[in-house]
């Protein structure tokens, strides 16, 4: 029987090549921010993000760092903290493609 193998965060992020489709969750409650920061640190680019259930500061950080090429989402929001400014800027500039599902 196969047992789960835990790997260091840097190794997990290294397994995600630039240009990958990445499902990311958490929004403003328990988002995988250490993983997001590691993707940014490793300079991943052209990521196609799929938000489940919605995107929040995780998506905003990846958009602001220039890591995301596209985002598929029902909503990207930072909840009581307002709009996701990096996400909005990237969409308005045309550097981030979106596919909205509301």
């Amino acid at each position: 029987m196969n047992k789960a193998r835990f790997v260091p965060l840097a190794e997990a992020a290294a397994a995600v090549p630039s240009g990958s489709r990445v499902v990311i969750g958490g929004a403003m409650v328990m988002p995988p921010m250490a993983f997001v920061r590691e993707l940014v640190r490793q300079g991943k680019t052209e990521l196609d993000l799929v938000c489940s259930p919605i995107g929040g500061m995780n998506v905003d950080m990846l958009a602001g760092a220039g890591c995301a090429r596209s985002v598929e989402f029902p909503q990207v929001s930072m909840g009581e903290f307002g709009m996701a400014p990096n996400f909005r800027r990237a969409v308005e500039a045309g550097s981030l493609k979106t596919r909205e599902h509301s």
Side-chain angles (χ1 to χ4, degrees), residues 41-61:
R41 191 188 70 70
Q42 290 187 18
K44 304 296 179 168
T45 58
E46 302 293 308
L47 298 177
D48 296 312
L49 306 176
V50 178
C51 301
S52 177
I54 66 171
M57 66 181 166
N58 46 12
V59 172
D60 195 57
M61 182 178 280

Side-chain angles (χ1 to χ4, degrees), residues 62-83:
L62 289 167
C67 297
R69 166 176 49 195
S70 69
V71 183
E72 193 167 332
F73 62 96
Q75 177 184 7
V76 176
S77 168
M78 295 181 66
E80 63 270 18
F81 301 105
M83 299 288 292

